[in-house]
Amino acid sequence: MFDWPTFLFSLPLLGKALLITLQTSLLGNAFGFVIAILISSMQLAKMPLLRRLGGSYIFIFRGVPLLVQLLVIYYLAPMFGLPNLSPMVAAVMALSLCSGAYIAEILRGGLMAIPSGQSEAAHLLGMSRPAILLRIELPQAVQSTLPSLVNELVLLIKASALVSVVGLADLTRVAQNLASSDYLFFQHYLVLAGIYCLINIPLTMFGRRLERHLERSLA
Amino acid sequence: MSLSLSPTNAISAVPAENSKIAPIIHLSAVGKRFGKNQVLANIDLDVHHSEVVCLIGPSGSGKSTLLRCMAFLEEYDDGEIHIEGRLLGWEIDDRGHRKHAGRNRLNQARRNLGIVFQQFNLWPHMTALGNVTEALVRVRRLPRQEAEKKAMKALDKVGLSEKAKEYPARLSGGQQQRVAIARALAMEPKIMLFDEPTSALDPELVGEVLAVMKQLAQEGMTMVVVTHEMGFAAQVADSVVFLDQGSIVTRGTPNEVFRDTNHPRLRQFLQNYLDRNAFWHTTPEKTS
């Protein structure tokens, strides 16, 4: 039923693919977080133009399927006579832009929950808008939305399975290749599922520990 | 900190010659509307150096709004507010229209102001020390060590140097408010504005905050205080201003205002306060 030699043979390949998956999804999440800070604060800005820009960003990047975003980004550059993006760059770009939209909405919720008096006090003490965001508001927003943020990270790792469409040898693509070479579909996909599941364990633990750490400092 | 409740110990009224010096806060014909609702109308008010002014009045009388206008947290629509001779919040352009002053100009004027809010508004993710240090580092650009030294001094002043490492959630309301006062004081303001600083506190904790404010007054800080603590106003204020429905009804020394019989609304307001705070309506019978 389970072909152990094949499994052992596939491990180094899957290991390499795991690195690709982690690289794209973690980079995508990191850049996405930066984008999210910008977009969520734009949405909460006073200027109507900024609010509208932030809103449009979320409308587009949350509304278009990630798969379609990947394809558009990958095939966009050649349209303008530019050289092709490397699959890795295209994949990280698409994941960043997409997760940026989702994380922005999570952060917006966290930011809105902070009593306005806190930024008022900071403002009166002469702190600049960026300083208030980074020093006063963001730490609290991250803390209160941490479970959702970890959730988003987990979702993104799984969604990164889509990057295989631009030819990136991530976990899913490598498992597919293996399966189509020896027809052990069930076995390879079962292993694939297991690996995705295992990635979550350290993530969940990290999230829990971070939550507890923040809780202790504020208890 | 020294705490004295005897009225004779309260600081003396502003010296007469002081009134000839330009006031540190000058309001002329200030008006403010929220939509069609006129919340402040034609407010004239001068606050001189080292003077303590208490704003009293029923809720909705506009006293908090007036205080917030003095920091330009609310934009006033009419009249002018000058802090140390500088117009606050607005600039007059070539055609005589008013427009918002640039951020630098506004911050320049606010540099002299320290504000304490009813809800403390401490930052919960920072320790007491962190709260006081933050603006010294980010705004005054002091090196962290120097900033912390200064912050500790401010905390010491409000009697909380031992709580420096505590987070706000671990402090009582009174302690939180004293940290908020220290945070404002650390920036070395010339004027302190207090917006109902004791209204959110348990009655038992009001005293410690008032004691700190009283000490500040005795040290010569210029203070504007919106308060419901008539005892504090009576003991500490140089002048008391009674507002009702967005206008100043009367003002004077605490003695003048609290003994005033000319203004029925003021009498009613004070009587209400007395009734609410009365322990008994008749003298208790002496039991032998």
Side-chain angles (χ1 to χ4, degrees):
Chain A
M1 184 74 198
F2 197 90
D3 188 351
W4 286 99
T6 308
F7 170 67
L8 290 176
F9 171 76
S10 71
L11 271 184
L13 288 172
L14 286 171
K16 234 192 243 166
L18 172 64
L19 287 183
I20 298 280
T21 289
L22 287 178
Q23 194 181 345
T24 47
S25 49
L26 293 182
L27 278 177
N29 210 271
F31 290 128
F33 191 73
V34 176
I35 292 173
I37 294 172
L38 274 172
I39 298 299
S40 59
S41 53
M42 274 166 77
Q43 280 197 288
L44 296 173
K46 279 202 195 109
M47 254 165 63
L49 179 68
L50 285 180
R51 299 176 80 103
R52 199 148 330 138
L53 277 175
S56 313
Y57 180 93
I58 287 175
F59 177 75
I60 293 168
F61 287 97
R62 199 175 55 177
V64 177
L66 178 58
L67 181 61
V68 178
Q69 284 180 43
L70 261 167
L71 293 170
V72 169
I73 288 171
Y74 189 59
Y75 291 109
L76 184 69
M79 278 289 294
F80 296 98
L82 297 166
N84 244 329
L85 290 173
S86 82
M88 181 52 117
V89 172
V92 170
M93 263 180 77
L95 289 176
S96 308
L97 291 168
C98 181
S99 70
Y102 283 99
I103 300 174
E105 283 297 272
I106 296 174
L107 284 183
R108 189 165 67 94
L111 291 172
M112 287 196 306
I114 301 171
S116 63
Q118 286 190 28
S119 58
E120 196 168 73
H123 186 58
L124 277 170
L125 289 165
M127 286 174 72
S128 65
R129 193 56 224 152
I132 293 174
L133 179 70
L134 292 176
R135 295 285 306 168
I136 308 297
E137 297 178 332
L138 204 56
Q140 295 184 64
V142 168
Q143 191 202 357
S144 63
T145 59
L146 202 56
S148 308
L149 290 173
V150 172
N151 201 30
E152 181 57 32
L153 177 58
V154 171
L155 281 174
L156 195 69
I157 289 174
K158 291 184 295 182
S160 75
L162 294 172
V163 301
S164 54
V165 297
V166 293
L168 209 54
D170 78 317
L171 272 176
T172 305
R173 164 56 69 92
V174 167
Q176 275 174 332
N177 288 347
L178 285 167
S180 55
S181 67
D182 55 18
Y183 302 110
L184 293 171
F185 291 103
F186 179 74
Q187 170 172 339
H188 287 299
Y189 290 146
L190 189 68
V191 170
L192 177 65
I195 294 176
Y196 274 116
C197 211
L198 287 176
I199 298 176
N200 285 328
I201 293 177
L203 274 179
T204 315
M205 272 168 37
F206 169 73
R208 285 272 158 74
R209 188 173 293 185
L210 199 60
E211 265 174 65
R212 238 175 297 148
H213 171 75
L214 291 172
E215 251 167 44
R216 210 172 311 138
S217 67
L218 293 179
Chain B
M1 92 193 66
S2 68
L3 204 171
S4 163
L5 291 173
S6 73
T8 50
N9 217 3
I11 58 159
S12 56
V14 189
E17 71 266 21
N18 217 349
S19 54
K20 285 172 201 147
I21 305 171
I24 191 164
I25 306 176
H26 174 70
L27 281 74
S28 59
V30 169
K32 164 81 187 160
R33 286 177 298 273
F34 287 126
K36 281 183 184 166
N37 193 7
Q38 185 91 31
V39 286
L40 289 174
N42 213 18
I43 302 281
D44 294 314
L45 185 67
D46 281 352
V47 179
H48 291 93
H49 190 70
S50 285
E51 194 179 6
V52 177
V53 175
C54 282
L55 305 179
I56 63 170
S59 61
S61 60
K63 53 195 191 312
S64 277
T65 306
L66 179 58
L67 191 92
R68 289 172 64 81
C69 282
M70 288 184 201
F72 211 64
L73 283 174
E74 302 287 356
E75 298 172 4
Y76 53 98
D77 300 311
D78 313 306
E80 291 181 356
I81 297 179
H82 292 266
I83 307 272
E84 291 212 298
R86 266 196 294 255
L87 182 62
L88 178 70
W90 299 108
E91 267 170 335
I92 309 297
D93 70 10
D94 309 334
R95 289 179 300 169
H97 295 305
R98 58 166 69 186
K99 57 172 191 174
H100 283 101
R103 184 172 304 171
N104 282 340
R105 220 184 122 112
L106 184 55
N107 276 342
Q108 199 69 33
R110 279 180 177 159
R111 232 186 123 98
N112 299 318
L113 297 172
I115 305 202
V116 175
F117 303 90
Q118 181 178 354
Q119 300 297 340
F120 328 139
N121 292 340
L122 292 180
W123 305 313
H125 60 301
M126 295 181 185
T127 60
L129 184 65
N131 267 277
V132 183
T133 311
E134 186 64 18
L136 292 172
V137 174
R138 305 278 149 192
V139 181
R140 292 287 142 88
R141 304 269 168 218
L142 294 182
R144 182 153 289 274
Q145 231 180 350
E146 200 179 318
E148 288 191 351
K149 226 160 119 192
K150 212 169 194 171
M152 280 307 289
K153 236 191 228 163
L155 283 171
D156 196 39
K157 201 175 174 71
V158 299
L160 284 176
S161 46
E162 278 156 35
K163 300 282 184 187
K165 296 280 183 222
E166 295 283 5
Y167 285 89
R170 307 265 315 242
L171 300 174
S172 73
Q175 289 169 335
Q176 288 188 49
Q177 189 60 297
R178 281 149 65 197
V179 172
I181 293 174
R183 180 173 68 180
L185 283 180
M187 300 295 278
E188 295 169 342
K190 293 184 184 161
I191 303 161
M192 286 286 282
L193 305 178
F194 292 86
D195 187 7
E196 300 198 27
T198 58
S199 296
L201 297 176
D202 283 350
E204 289 244 315
L205 304 176
V206 169
E208 60 188 77
V209 173
L210 292 183
V212 167
M213 291 168 62
K214 197 165 183 175
Q215 184 196 347
L216 271 182
Q218 277 162 355
E219 286 167 9
M221 177 64 77
T222 308
M223 291 164 58
V224 181
V225 185
V226 171
T227 189
H228 291 291
E229 295 290 330
M230 297 305 146
F232 175 82
Q235 290 163 35
V236 182
D238 297 300
S239 55
V240 174
V241 176
F242 176 67
L243 281 114
D244 186 38
Q245 295 182 353
S247 305
I248 293 179
V249 175
T250 184
R251 78 190 82 186
T253 64
N255 244 325
E256 288 164 0
V257 171
F258 289 131
R259 291 174 203 283
D260 180 290
T261 49
N262 298 328
H263 300 91
R265 186 68 188 94
L266 173 58
R267 280 262 46 92
Q268 184 196 352
F269 174 75
L270 291 175
Q271 192 55 51
N272 217 320
Y273 180 83
L274 287 175
D275 289 348
R276 191 156 25 90
N277 288 284
F279 265 69
W280 38 67
H281 288 285
T282 54
T283 332
E285 286 167 34
K286 280 195 184 110
T287 47
S288 52

